[in-house]
Amino acid sequence: MKMSGSTAAAVFLALVVAAPLLVASQPAMAPVASQPAMAPVAPAAAAAPANNSRLEKAYVALQALKRAITDDPKNLTHNWCGPDVCNYFGVYCAVAPDDPCARTVAGVDLNHGSLAGTLPEELGLLTDLAVFHLNSNRFCGSLPDSLRNLHRLNEIDVSNNHLSGTFPSQLLCLPDLKYVDLRFNNLCGEVPSAIFEKKIDALFINNNNFDFKLTESFSKSTASVIVLANLPGLGGCLPSSIGDMAGTLNELVLLNSGISSCIPPEIGKLDKLTVLDISSNSFAGTLPDTIGHLKALEQLNVANNNLSGEIPESICSLPHLKNFTYSHNYFCGEPHRCFEVPHIDDRQNCIAGRPDQRSGEECIAFQHRPPVHCDSNGCIALPSPPPPPPPPMHYAPPPPVY
């Protein structure tokens, strides 16, 4: 039976962790007193491990990575010498998923190493790699194109580095990839819509310089966690088809991403959602009462938008809601039920009788704005421009009288 990428990764690492325990569990042999004392013998030189072709390729890849590292302040690669790659720090080996007689490199984890350097193309030789973690380092340049060869890769985490270039489209070629973390880098350009159509479980691309718009393909994602925060080049509208993500979506974070949109009522279909953060955007209109259908919701943040109207009581009645932030909008009313939520923030609205609200002038000026209308795609429909004035009439002079 063929194992999935996530199963392979779990088996790989489980075997690596269990190996020392198996050795430790072997019973110790009692000393035999009747044996005559033996003359001391000089220890034999340690035999080099008999590497298979997989480990030989891994040796080439890992040595190329070591050469590409220009600064290793924590000396993580100090023992990366010789062909026994399974003893390298941060390298994990296990039985190959397609050959029980062969060992292979299943994981590389050098998180929080402050390593500086680049990532070489030879990393594509690690064809059995299931887990690749390099977060919180100082790697620069782009991700090597050869990563498309890592067909067993289940997790990639290169967050909090200095990586640049465009979105690594080579990740789209990896059939078992489930966890993608590219956040806190300097990546730019378009994010391919195909990433939302890929069967991944978690997508973190926040705090980069990507420039793209949300489209209907966004709603095809099967991820349980999507974080698109702090992407000033993100735009578009929150599509009404967002309800199609109901089967899997647990957390959606879109804060500070330049979205100008209404909140579609179909968002109330996301019955597994626990975290919704759409703060610091340009959402307008009212807060749909269908959010009151999100019975699993714990954290809701809609602050720093242009929302107005009254807070629906159904939202404040959610059984698991712990934090509801709706400050810096133009709401004009909130039910008393909201004060039963463990933590709310209603500052800088237009709610009479509440402290720290907007001035009356601000609230009156907002009320005189044209009403917000949204089209079928959830986008704010701009009011039709007034018709142009009629052309001026030109009168010909009367004919002369003879």
Side-chain angles (χ1 to χ4, degrees), residues 191-223:
V191 173
S193 59
I195 191 64
F196 297 113
E197 300 173 14
K198 192 169 178 60
K199 304 297 184 183
I200 61 177
D201 183 60
L203 177 64
F204 301 88
I205 61 174
N206 52 288
N207 294 83
N208 279 285
N209 298 315
F210 293 125
D211 185 5
F212 70 107
K213 295 185 181 301
L214 292 180
T215 63
E216 290 292 327
S217 63
F218 172 73
S219 302
K220 297 180 181 179
S221 176
T222 59

Side-chain angles (χ1 to χ4, degrees), residues 329-346:
N329 280 286
Y330 295 91
F331 293 113
C332 61
E334 59 190 344
H336 288 286
R337 188 66 180 267
C338 292
F339 303 129
E340 299 177 14
V341 177
H343 181 269
I344 66 166
D345 186 352
D346 63 358

Side-chain angles (χ1 to χ4, degrees), residues 34-372:
S34 60
Q35 292 293 332
M38 296 180 64
V41 179
N51 282 354
N52 56 45
S53 61
R54 300 171 194 251
L55 295 180
E56 290 171 356
K57 291 179 180 178
Y59 172 76
V60 173
L62 295 171
Q63 288 299 311
L65 177 58
K66 182 178 180 180
R67 290 191 300 270
I69 293 174
T70 58
D71 188 23
D72 183 1
K74 298 183 179 180
N75 210 20
L76 299 187
T77 61
H78 72 283
N79 73 334
W80 284 28
C81 302
D84 190 6
V85 296
C86 295
N87 282 332
Y88 287 8
F89 178 85
V91 176
Y92 302 91
C93 292
V95 175
D98 57 348
D99 185 353
C101 298
R103 298 191 77 205
T104 189
V105 171
V108 173
D109 188 342
L110 296 172
N111 286 347
H112 304 281
S114 296
L115 300 167
T118 57
L119 300 177
E121 287 290 337
E122 288 85 350
L123 290 174
L125 296 172
L126 300 172
T127 51
D128 291 322
L129 198 67
V131 176
F132 189 41
H133 288 177
L134 294 179
N135 79 52
S136 302
N137 286 290
R138 293 174 289 153
F139 287 106
C140 60
S142 58
L143 288 174
D145 187 66
S146 62
L147 293 185
R148 66 178 64 248
N149 298 327
L150 309 186
H151 293 294
R152 299 189 189 280
L153 193 64
N154 189 265
E155 299 181 10
I156 181 168
D157 182 356
V158 292
S159 61
N160 197 22
N161 278 280
H162 304 306
L163 298 173
S164 57
T166 58
F167 185 92
S169 58
Q170 55 268 43
L171 301 182
L172 302 176
C173 305
L174 306 181
D176 293 337
L177 192 63
K178 299 298 181 186
Y179 182 94
V180 178
D181 194 344
L182 307 176
R183 55 188 158 172
F184 293 99
N185 279 289
N186 299 314
L187 300 171
C188 62
E190 186 82 11
V191 173
S193 59
I195 191 64
F196 297 113
E197 300 173 14
K198 192 169 178 60
K199 304 297 184 183
I200 61 177
D201 183 60
L203 177 64
F204 301 88
I205 61 174
N206 52 288
N207 294 83
N208 279 285
N209 298 315
F210 293 125
D211 185 5
F212 70 107
K213 295 185 181 301
L214 292 180
T215 63
E216 290 292 327
S217 63
F218 172 73
S219 302
K220 297 180 181 179
S221 176
T222 59
S224 63
V225 180
I226 299 178
V227 181
L228 307 182
N230 299 316
L231 297 174
L234 178 61
C237 311
L238 200 58
S240 57
S241 56
I242 191 172
D244 297 343
M245 305 166 78
T248 56
L249 190 60
N250 298 133
E251 299 182 19
L252 177 61
V253 180
L254 302 173
L255 73 93
N256 191 31
S257 293
I259 300 174
S260 179
S261 174
C262 298
I263 303 177
E266 290 81 1
I267 201 168
K269 297 179 181 179
L270 303 177
D271 56 344
K272 291 183 171 61
L273 202 64
T274 60
V275 175
L276 175 61
D277 190 337
I278 58 172
S279 60
S280 300
N281 284 291
S282 296
F283 283 96
T286 59
L287 204 56
D289 59 0
T290 55
I291 294 179
H293 299 163
L294 307 181
K295 302 302 182 184
L297 196 63
E298 299 176 8
Q299 309 284 334
L300 175 59
N301 192 341
V302 298
N304 291 290
N305 281 289
N306 294 314
L307 298 168
S308 58
E310 297 197 1
I311 300 293
E313 185 170 0
S314 60
I315 296 177
C316 295
S317 301
L318 289 170
H320 301 291
L321 190 61
K322 300 173 183 176
N323 191 325
F324 184 14
T325 303
Y326 47 97
S327 58
H328 294 86
N329 280 286
Y330 295 91
F331 293 113
C332 61
E334 59 190 344
H336 288 286
R337 188 66 180 267
C338 292
F339 303 129
E340 299 177 14
V341 177
H343 181 269
I344 66 166
D345 186 352
D346 63 358
R347 294 171 299 140
Q348 291 298 300
N349 278 287
C350 300
I351 304 174
R354 291 294 293 165
D356 195 7
Q357 298 295 300
R358 294 181 184 273
S359 67
E361 291 79 6
E362 281 185 278
C363 296
I364 292 173
F366 180 84
Q367 291 174 358
H368 283 83
R369 293 183 187 180
V372 173

